[in-house]
Amino acid sequence: MPQSLTKNYIHLVFSTKYRLPIIAPNVEDKLHAYLGGTCKALSCPVLAVGGYVDHVHILFILSKNIALKDLVQRLKAHSSKWIKTQDAQLSQFYWQLGYGAFSISQKDVESVRYYIKNQHHHHTKEDFHTEFRSLLTKYEIDFDERYVWD
């Protein structure tokens, strides 16, 4: 085959260091836009960005030209530097070291997009720990609780 053809939908989740509730309403939309713009610049079309005060969710199509770990590293590094310029209270902003990335089927795109866009409502009922454990279980990812949180 003379060309490489891919379409990998990824649901990416990562939190602030120690899950500090530091993503304030005055910067949240701008942060989501920044993350989406970074993905787009790396040829990873974004379908949804959302989150809550202590974490973000991004649904995107992974480009065939970048490894997932490299995309996540760039997203975190660039957005961390950027957010520190937005407000003096964010000068000590950091993302957690790890992340969760889940491949989803095309038929599930709309339900995941809805889920991401409704994070504020979702978190009136469930905290991030419970949410992330549920995702790991849903996608049958083995994990050791001692190493999930930092």
Side-chain angles (χ1 to χ4, degrees), residues 100-128:
F102 313 99
S103 60
I104 65 163
S105 69
Q106 188 167 2
K107 70 179 179 61
D108 292 328
V109 166
E110 284 311 311
S111 64
V112 173
R113 186 189 323 236
Y114 179 81
Y115 174 77
I116 290 171
K117 290 295 186 182
N118 287 285
Q119 281 290 293
H120 280 264
H121 177 71
H122 173 76
H123 286 290
T124 63
K125 303 172 190 169
E126 183 176 75
D127 67 9
F128 178 67

Side-chain angles (χ1 to χ4, degrees), residues 8 27 60 100 106 128 143:
N8 295 303
V27 74
F60 63 95
Q106 188 167 2
F128 178 67
F143 64 97

Side-chain angles (χ1 to χ4, degrees), residues 2 5 10 13-14 32 52 58 67 77-78 83 97 105-106 111 126:
L5 304 170
I10 304 295
V13 183
F14 53 91
H32 295 170
Y52 198 54
I58 308 171
H78 292 215
I83 202 168
L97 294 176
S105 69
Q106 188 167 2
S111 64
E126 183 176 75

